[in-house]
Amino acid sequence: MSLSAVHGTLSSLKSCQADIGTGMDIVTDVAMDLAEAPGEEDDPGIKKMEAMILECARLDREINYFVDIVQQVTSEANPQQPEAMVGLSAKVKERFTERVAKLSDAELQNHQKVVAFKENVKNSFHQANQESVENPEELDEDIAVTQSQVNFSCPLTQMEMVNPMKNKKCNHHYDEGAILGLIKTKQSQKKKCRCPVVGCGNTDVKQSDLIPDTILRRRIQSQKRDSNRS
């Protein structure tokens, strides 16, 4: 197999990985709907959704490792020496098997979308419980005030966020594409990424600090639907 064919395969894998991420977002949305319905926090449906999220996280992790190993092995090979290309597949398989054997399922709990799933489901459940005991009229007023206080605009693009990401350290939000682009730019400059929110003291924003805020994304979408109706 030529190196160009290998690179094409890796590109397809990365596209598949993006689809896995989209699927995890959909599963999180469904789990949040279940959490907002009357019932217990340990709803069996939510448990099944969590198992699905963990399985997707495992697959996502393995794709990351596989792509990384393939890139390492191909970078070591000399395309000008055909004999060096013959054993690439076996070498990739050997290294991948070794790395996967060292992995722990407990590490999946730290996967960005697993963390987001648990946090969003927990918040949805608590919000639903709170709504069930409050006066509906007071609740409507509270929601209106809260929505008016939340800024749906990304501090980087100054536009309404599409995929809001929450920073676990400073609790600020940014649109996913904008903040990941900024982090990548700063990394190429060998600089730390400062939180773009004016006055924030967080001087080292990392991708590992970010989790998708599905609740905020749903609120933005809900507000957009309401404005379209009016």
Side-chain angles (χ1 to χ4, degrees), residues 15-35:
S15 296
C16 177
Q17 196 171 24
D19 292 337
I20 291 172
T22 300
M24 294 174 82
D25 291 339
I26 293 173
V27 171
T28 300
D29 276 341
V30 174
M32 290 171 65
D33 287 336
L34 289 175

PDB file of all heavy atoms in Angstrom, residues 15-35:
ATOM      1  N   SER A  15     -12.984  11.341   9.518  1.00  0.00           N
ATOM      2  CA  SER A  15     -14.371  11.702   9.196  1.00  0.00           C
ATOM      3  C   SER A  15     -15.340  10.837   9.990  1.00  0.00           C
ATOM      4  O   SER A  15     -16.355  11.316  10.504  1.00  0.00           O
ATOM      5  CB  SER A  15     -14.627  11.526   7.689  1.00  0.00           C
ATOM      6  OG  SER A  15     -13.835  12.406   6.927  1.00  0.00           O
ATOM      7  N   CYS A  16     -15.000   9.559  10.102  1.00  0.00           N
ATOM      8  CA  CYS A  16     -15.813   8.635  10.903  1.00  0.00           C
ATOM      9  C   CYS A  16     -15.822   9.071  12.359  1.00  0.00           C
ATOM     10  O   CYS A  16     -16.859   9.020  13.040  1.00  0.00           O
ATOM     11  CB  CYS A  16     -15.261   7.224  10.766  1.00  0.00           C
ATOM     12  SG  CYS A  16     -16.104   5.983  11.775  1.00  0.00           S
ATOM     13  N   GLN A  17     -14.683   9.558  12.831  1.00  0.00           N
ATOM     14  CA  GLN A  17     -14.559  10.016  14.208  1.00  0.00           C
ATOM     15  C   GLN A  17     -15.467  11.220  14.459  1.00  0.00           C
ATOM     16  O   GLN A  17     -16.089  11.347  15.521  1.00  0.00           O
ATOM     17  CB  GLN A  17     -13.101  10.375  14.491  1.00  0.00           C
ATOM     18  CG  GLN A  17     -12.750  10.501  15.951  1.00  0.00           C
ATOM     19  CD  GLN A  17     -11.254  10.643  16.148  1.00  0.00           C
ATOM     20  OE1 GLN A  17     -10.529  11.075  15.252  1.00  0.00           O
ATOM     21  NE2 GLN A  17     -10.775  10.279  17.325  1.00  0.00           N
ATOM     22  N   ALA A  18     -15.560  12.109  13.467  1.00  0.00           N
ATOM     23  CA  ALA A  18     -16.447  13.270  13.592  1.00  0.00           C
ATOM     24  C   ALA A  18     -17.903  12.818  13.689  1.00  0.00           C
ATOM     25  O   ALA A  18     -18.692  13.381  14.462  1.00  0.00           O
ATOM     26  CB  ALA A  18     -16.260  14.201  12.393  1.00  0.00           C
ATOM     27  N   ASP A  19     -18.262  11.777  12.932  1.00  0.00           N
ATOM     28  CA  ASP A  19     -19.623  11.235  12.986  1.00  0.00           C
ATOM     29  C   ASP A  19     -19.902  10.616  14.356  1.00  0.00           C
ATOM     30  O   ASP A  19     -21.028  10.700  14.875  1.00  0.00           O
ATOM     31  CB  ASP A  19     -19.831  10.181  11.890  1.00  0.00           C
ATOM     32  CG  ASP A  19     -19.825  10.784  10.494  1.00  0.00           C
ATOM     33  OD1 ASP A  19     -20.104  11.996  10.382  1.00  0.00           O
ATOM     34  OD2 ASP A  19     -19.534  10.055   9.528  1.00  0.00           O
ATOM     35  N   ILE A  20     -18.896   9.986  14.941  1.00  0.00           N
ATOM     36  CA  ILE A  20     -19.046   9.408  16.282  1.00  0.00           C
ATOM     37  C   ILE A  20     -19.338  10.528  17.285  1.00  0.00           C
ATOM     38  O   ILE A  20     -20.206  10.398  18.151  1.00  0.00           O
ATOM     39  CB  ILE A  20     -17.777   8.644  16.696  1.00  0.00           C
ATOM     40  CG1 ILE A  20     -17.633   7.378  15.846  1.00  0.00           C
ATOM     41  CG2 ILE A  20     -17.823   8.275  18.184  1.00  0.00           C
ATOM     42  CD1 ILE A  20     -16.315   6.656  16.055  1.00  0.00           C
ATOM     43  N   GLY A  21     -18.612  11.645  17.164  1.00  0.00           N
ATOM     44  CA  GLY A  21     -18.844  12.785  18.047  1.00  0.00           C
ATOM     45  C   GLY A  21     -20.253  13.329  17.916  1.00  0.00           C
ATOM     46  O   GLY A  21     -20.908  13.647  18.918  1.00  0.00           O
ATOM     47  N   THR A  22     -20.749  13.407  16.675  1.00  0.00           N
ATOM     48  CA  THR A  22     -22.125  13.872  16.445  1.00  0.00           C
ATOM     49  C   THR A  22     -23.122  12.909  17.078  1.00  0.00           C
ATOM     50  O   THR A  22     -24.113  13.330  17.700  1.00  0.00           O
ATOM     51  CB  THR A  22     -22.402  13.985  14.930  1.00  0.00           C
ATOM     52  OG1 THR A  22     -21.480  14.918  14.346  1.00  0.00           O
ATOM     53  CG2 THR A  22     -23.828  14.456  14.673  1.00  0.00           C
ATOM     54  N   GLY A  23     -22.853  11.614  16.933  1.00  0.00           N
ATOM     55  CA  GLY A  23     -23.734  10.612  17.532  1.00  0.00           C
ATOM     56  C   GLY A  23     -23.766  10.725  19.046  1.00  0.00           C
ATOM     57  O   GLY A  23     -24.825  10.570  19.676  1.00  0.00           O
ATOM     58  N   MET A  24     -22.624  11.011  19.656  1.00  0.00           N
ATOM     59  CA  MET A  24     -22.563  11.169  21.113  1.00  0.00           C
ATOM     60  C   MET A  24     -23.370  12.387  21.555  1.00  0.00           C
ATOM     61  O   MET A  24     -24.017  12.360  22.611  1.00  0.00           O
ATOM     62  CB  MET A  24     -21.107  11.290  21.557  1.00  0.00           C
ATOM     63  CG  MET A  24     -20.294  10.024  21.330  1.00  0.00           C
ATOM     64  SD  MET A  24     -18.528  10.204  21.692  1.00  0.00           S
ATOM     65  CE  MET A  24     -18.520   9.992  23.478  1.00  0.00           C
ATOM     66  N   ASP A  25     -23.344  13.444  20.757  1.00  0.00           N
ATOM     67  CA  ASP A  25     -24.148  14.631  21.076  1.00  0.00           C
ATOM     68  C   ASP A  25     -25.643  14.302  21.023  1.00  0.00           C
ATOM     69  O   ASP A  25     -26.427  14.761  21.861  1.00  0.00           O
ATOM     70  CB  ASP A  25     -23.835  15.764  20.098  1.00  0.00           C
ATOM     71  CG  ASP A  25     -22.439  16.340  20.291  1.00  0.00           C
ATOM     72  OD1 ASP A  25     -21.878  16.158  21.387  1.00  0.00           O
ATOM     73  OD2 ASP A  25     -21.916  16.963  19.350  1.00  0.00           O
ATOM     74  N   ILE A  26     -26.043  13.494  20.038  1.00  0.00           N
ATOM     75  CA  ILE A  26     -27.456  13.111  19.900  1.00  0.00           C
ATOM     76  C   ILE A  26     -27.883  12.253  21.093  1.00  0.00           C
ATOM     77  O   ILE A  26     -28.970  12.438  21.657  1.00  0.00           O
ATOM     78  CB  ILE A  26     -27.677  12.349  18.577  1.00  0.00           C
ATOM     79  CG1 ILE A  26     -27.453  13.295  17.389  1.00  0.00           C
ATOM     80  CG2 ILE A  26     -29.088  11.753  18.520  1.00  0.00           C
ATOM     81  CD1 ILE A  26     -27.476  12.601  16.036  1.00  0.00           C
ATOM     82  N   VAL A  27     -27.027  11.309  21.480  1.00  0.00           N
ATOM     83  CA  VAL A  27     -27.328  10.448  22.638  1.00  0.00           C
ATOM     84  C   VAL A  27     -27.485  11.302  23.893  1.00  0.00           C
ATOM     85  O   VAL A  27     -28.386  11.078  24.711  1.00  0.00           O
ATOM     86  CB  VAL A  27     -26.224   9.395  22.838  1.00  0.00           C
ATOM     87  CG1 VAL A  27     -26.413   8.657  24.159  1.00  0.00           C
ATOM     88  CG2 VAL A  27     -26.232   8.390  21.686  1.00  0.00           C
ATOM     89  N   THR A  28     -26.619  12.307  24.050  1.00  0.00           N
ATOM     90  CA  THR A  28     -26.709  13.204  25.206  1.00  0.00           C
ATOM     91  C   THR A  28     -28.024  13.963  25.202  1.00  0.00           C
ATOM     92  O   THR A  28     -28.674  14.124  26.248  1.00  0.00           O
ATOM     93  CB  THR A  28     -25.526  14.198  25.212  1.00  0.00           C
ATOM     94  OG1 THR A  28     -24.299  13.465  25.285  1.00  0.00           O
ATOM     95  CG2 THR A  28     -25.609  15.139  26.411  1.00  0.00           C
ATOM     96  N   ASP A  29     -28.442  14.437  24.028  1.00  0.00           N
ATOM     97  CA  ASP A  29     -29.723  15.147  23.914  1.00  0.00           C
ATOM     98  C   ASP A  29     -30.890  14.257  24.346  1.00  0.00           C
ATOM     99  O   ASP A  29     -31.789  14.698  25.074  1.00  0.00           O
ATOM    100  CB  ASP A  29     -29.940  15.621  22.473  1.00  0.00           C
ATOM    101  CG  ASP A  29     -29.259  16.937  22.177  1.00  0.00           C
ATOM    102  OD1 ASP A  29     -28.934  17.661  23.138  1.00  0.00           O
ATOM    103  OD2 ASP A  29     -29.043  17.254  20.996  1.00  0.00           O
ATOM    104  N   VAL A  30     -30.885  13.007  23.887  1.00  0.00           N
ATOM    105  CA  VAL A  30     -31.969  12.074  24.232  1.00  0.00           C
ATOM    106  C   VAL A  30     -31.967  11.800  25.736  1.00  0.00           C
ATOM    107  O   VAL A  30     -33.024  11.782  26.380  1.00  0.00           O
ATOM    108  CB  VAL A  30     -31.824  10.756  23.442  1.00  0.00           C
ATOM    109  CG1 VAL A  30     -32.869   9.741  23.910  1.00  0.00           C
ATOM    110  CG2 VAL A  30     -31.972  11.003  21.954  1.00  0.00           C
ATOM    111  N   ALA A  31     -30.774  11.619  26.312  1.00  0.00           N
ATOM    112  CA  ALA A  31     -30.671  11.360  27.752  1.00  0.00           C
ATOM    113  C   ALA A  31     -31.174  12.550  28.556  1.00  0.00           C
ATOM    114  O   ALA A  31     -31.814  12.392  29.601  1.00  0.00           O
ATOM    115  CB  ALA A  31     -29.222  11.038  28.121  1.00  0.00           C
ATOM    116  N   MET A  32     -30.905  13.762  28.073  1.00  0.00           N
ATOM    117  CA  MET A  32     -31.388  14.962  28.759  1.00  0.00           C
ATOM    118  C   MET A  32     -32.911  15.049  28.702  1.00  0.00           C
ATOM    119  O   MET A  32     -33.550  15.471  29.665  1.00  0.00           O
ATOM    120  CB  MET A  32     -30.749  16.210  28.138  1.00  0.00           C
ATOM    121  CG  MET A  32     -29.255  16.342  28.452  1.00  0.00           C
ATOM    122  SD  MET A  32     -28.443  17.650  27.520  1.00  0.00           S
ATOM    123  CE  MET A  32     -29.275  19.100  28.193  1.00  0.00           C
ATOM    124  N   ASP A  33     -33.485  14.633  27.574  1.00  0.00           N
ATOM    125  CA  ASP A  33     -34.952  14.593  27.474  1.00  0.00           C
ATOM    126  C   ASP A  33     -35.532  13.625  28.504  1.00  0.00           C
ATOM    127  O   ASP A  33     -36.553  13.907  29.145  1.00  0.00           O
ATOM    128  CB  ASP A  33     -35.380  14.170  26.064  1.00  0.00           C
ATOM    129  CG  ASP A  33     -35.151  15.262  25.030  1.00  0.00           C
ATOM    130  OD1 ASP A  33     -35.100  16.450  25.429  1.00  0.00           O
ATOM    131  OD2 ASP A  33     -35.031  14.938  23.837  1.00  0.00           O
ATOM    132  N   LEU A  34     -34.873  12.475  28.667  1.00  0.00           N
ATOM    133  CA  LEU A  34     -35.331  11.502  29.659  1.00  0.00           C
ATOM    134  C   LEU A  34     -35.179  12.058  31.075  1.00  0.00           C
ATOM    135  O   LEU A  34     -36.045  11.853  31.933  1.00  0.00           O
ATOM    136  CB  LEU A  34     -34.523  10.203  29.534  1.00  0.00           C
ATOM    137  CG  LEU A  34     -34.783   9.346  28.292  1.00  0.00           C
ATOM    138  CD1 LEU A  34     -33.820   8.159  28.260  1.00  0.00           C
ATOM    139  CD2 LEU A  34     -36.221   8.841  28.269  1.00  0.00           C
ATOM    140  N   ALA A  35     -34.085  12.786  31.314  1.00  0.00           N
ATOM    141  CA  ALA A  35     -33.849  13.351  32.648  1.00  0.00           C
ATOM    142  C   ALA A  35     -34.863  14.426  32.990  1.00  0.00           C
ATOM    143  O   ALA A  35     -35.206  14.628  34.157  1.00  0.00           O
ATOM    144  CB  ALA A  35     -32.432  13.922  32.722  1.00  0.00           C
TER     145      ALA A  35
END
